[in-house]
Amino acid sequence: MEAMSPAAQPMIKVAGICGSLRKGSYSRGLLGTASQISQESINGMKIEYVDISPLPLLNTDLEVDGKYPSAVEAFRHKIMEADSILFASPEYYYSITGALKNAVDWAARPPNVWADKAAAILSTGGSFAGVRSQYHLRQIGVYLDLHFINKPEFFLNTSLSPEMFDSDGNLLDESVKERIKEVLLSLQAFTLRLQTGRIADAQPPDF
């Protein structure tokens, strides 16, 4: 899949969310690589890492007079501003991490700021490479009206080749970087398709 020419390509803003809070996590390394790829070789895409670590545990008692805690308000604003979402997460016990689920829940509180956005997932882990967690996140997305790209799917088995990352969690494998680029190009194209469709739907019918 090829990127559009710079002149024809509008800028889309992507919120990058890591399900692992560990600084040197492989998931964070994948997001960092994705951000670098978007800067260097994809016209019209900017990925901003959105930190979920400051978010308190979901508790509706924290919602006062229609307002959320400041960290939650800031997070929700970042998601609302984004055109699409890029998730990166390991698998915890057949599912997504507790930290990621907490972030998903906060942004889904009324009004749901995930709705009608395109999304993609980079999952990594041991023998199953995050397959089950990724499909669980896709199921959650159905209810939230979050639209995931279908292909390419990205699963990275780190137990087979742990040398793909350095000690700080930075991705070293060039072939994996190419796979990430394909995901980003698909996300970019799908985001633009959704945006074009919404513009068309907003036009009055021509009878």
Side-chain angles (χ1 to χ4, degrees):
M1 183 181 296
E2 297 295 331
M4 296 170 61
S5 65
Q9 188 74 345
M11 178 65 68
I12 66 170
K13 296 182 289 185
V14 181
I17 299 176
C18 182
S20 174
L21 302 185
R22 185 170 66 88
K23 184 178 180 180
S25 75
Y26 293 158
S27 296
R28 185 169 298 197
L30 294 178
L31 270 185
T33 297
S35 180
Q36 182 179 15
I37 291 171
S38 69
Q39 291 176 13
E40 296 177 353
S41 59
I42 300 181
N43 295 311
M45 173 179 278
K46 180 180 180 181
I47 300 175
E48 179 183 359
Y49 172 69
V50 181
D51 188 9
I52 65 174
S53 62
L55 297 175
L57 289 177
L58 181 69
N59 180 351
T60 55
D61 287 343
L62 299 177
E63 302 174 20
V64 180
D65 296 328
K67 299 291 185 180
Y68 298 98
S70 58
V72 175
E73 291 282 6
F75 173 70
R76 286 171 55 84
H77 185 70
K78 290 289 187 182
I79 301 304
M80 185 170 57
E81 282 190 325
D83 298 301
S84 54
I85 313 296
L86 179 63
F87 294 97
S89 182
E91 180 175 308
Y92 283 11
Y93 311 114
Y94 287 24
S95 187
I96 61 176
T97 68
L100 180 55
K101 182 58 166 64
N102 186 59
V104 168
D105 290 346
W106 271 123
R109 296 293 297 161
N112 170 26
V113 295
W114 299 115
D116 292 328
K117 296 185 186 295
I121 312 171
L122 307 175
S123 63
T124 182
S127 58
F128 286 97
V131 168
R132 293 165 298 200
S133 67
Q134 182 167 147
Y135 288 154
H136 193 184
L137 183 55
R138 287 174 178 272
Q139 289 176 325
I140 295 170
V142 171
Y143 186 84
L144 299 178
D145 292 324
L146 190 60
H147 308 300
F148 285 99
I149 63 170
N150 290 328
K151 295 178 181 177
E153 295 179 301
F154 183 97
F155 309 105
L156 185 62
N157 188 335
T158 53
S159 64
L160 296 178
S161 301
E163 65 275 8
M164 288 188 292
F165 294 85
D166 64 20
S167 58
D168 294 321
N170 299 309
L171 181 64
L172 303 174
D173 191 294
E174 293 299 323
S175 65
V176 177
K177 292 180 182 180
E178 284 301 313
R179 290 172 55 200
I180 293 175
K181 183 176 180 180
E182 289 300 313
V183 171
L184 296 180
L185 289 173
S186 180
L187 177 62
Q188 181 184 42
F190 188 44
T191 302
L192 294 173
R193 280 175 55 196
L194 287 178
Q195 291 178 339
T196 301
R198 284 195 289 269
I199 292 173
D201 290 341
Q203 302 300 319
D206 185 12
F207 296 111

